[in-house]
């Protein structure tokens, strides 16, 4: 698929898609992704298996991930170059958002008693 079309389709990214793609910093199967997201978000985000496998299928179709291996009835996925491009673009967008939030929104701790 054309990377520009994939960029338009995925950026801005849903939190679920972002964390799934982020979790593929190393090859993982679906359950491994669920546990990794749970760990790095301190259980704030708990992904259901239907959501994970639906998103993985969509990302595979769009060329963002590929099958790394099939092991003991578990499909292991990894990011492609297009997936890495989409993730890097989203991270840069989030950095800008964060910088502007701090610059123009101030420190949220100063507004806790409003």
């Amino acid at each position: 698929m054309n990377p520009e079309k994939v960029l338009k389709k995925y950026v801005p990214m849903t939190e679920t898609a972002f964390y799934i793609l982020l979790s593929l910093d190393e090859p993982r199967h679906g359950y491994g992704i669920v546990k990794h997201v749970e760990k790095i978000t301190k259980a704030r985000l708990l992904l259901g298996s239907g959501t994970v496998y639906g998103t993985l299928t969509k990302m595979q179709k769009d060329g963002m991930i590929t099958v790394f291996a099939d092991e003991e009835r578990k499909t292991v996925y990894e990011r492609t170059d297009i997936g890495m491009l989409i993730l890097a673009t989203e991270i840069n967008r989030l950095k800008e958002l964060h910088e502007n939030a701090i610059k123009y929104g101030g420190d949220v701790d100063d507004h806790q008693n409003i």
Side-chain angles (χ1 to χ4, degrees):
M1 183 174 251
N2 179 338
E4 292 299 320
K5 284 185 178 179
V6 180
L7 271 170
K8 282 186 177 183
K9 187 174 180 179
Y10 283 92
V11 178
M13 199 173 262
T14 65
E15 189 173 15
T16 297
F18 177 78
Y19 274 112
I20 288 173
L21 202 53
L22 191 67
S23 293
L24 293 176
D25 61 326
E26 63 184 63
R28 287 193 164 91
H29 54 72
Y31 184 69
I33 292 170
V34 168
K35 298 310 288 179
H36 186 254
V37 171
E38 183 178 338
K39 179 182 172 188
I40 65 176
T41 65
K42 299 179 178 112
R44 180 184 60 78
L45 185 61
L46 303 173
L47 300 176
S49 60
T51 299
V52 170
Y53 287 106
T55 304
L56 287 170
T57 299
K58 189 173 149 190
M59 287 180 170
Q60 187 177 5
K61 180 180 167 196
D62 291 331
M64 296 169 58
I65 63 171
T66 189
V67 173
F68 177 78
D70 276 318
E71 300 174 347
E72 300 175 14
R73 298 175 34 197
K74 291 181 182 175
T75 304
V76 179
Y77 299 93
E78 68 178 352
R79 282 189 300 239
T80 64
D81 289 343
I82 292 175
M84 193 59 230
L85 171 69
I86 303 299
L87 184 61
T89 301
E90 181 65 358
I91 288 171
N92 286 333
R93 188 187 73 81
L94 292 172
K95 281 181 183 175
E96 178 191 299
L97 196 70
H98 178 258
E99 288 168 5
N100 284 329
I102 298 300
K103 184 175 180 179
Y104 297 106
D107 190 345
V108 289
D109 290 334
D110 293 341
H111 304 290
Q112 291 293 323
N113 296 324
I114 295 177

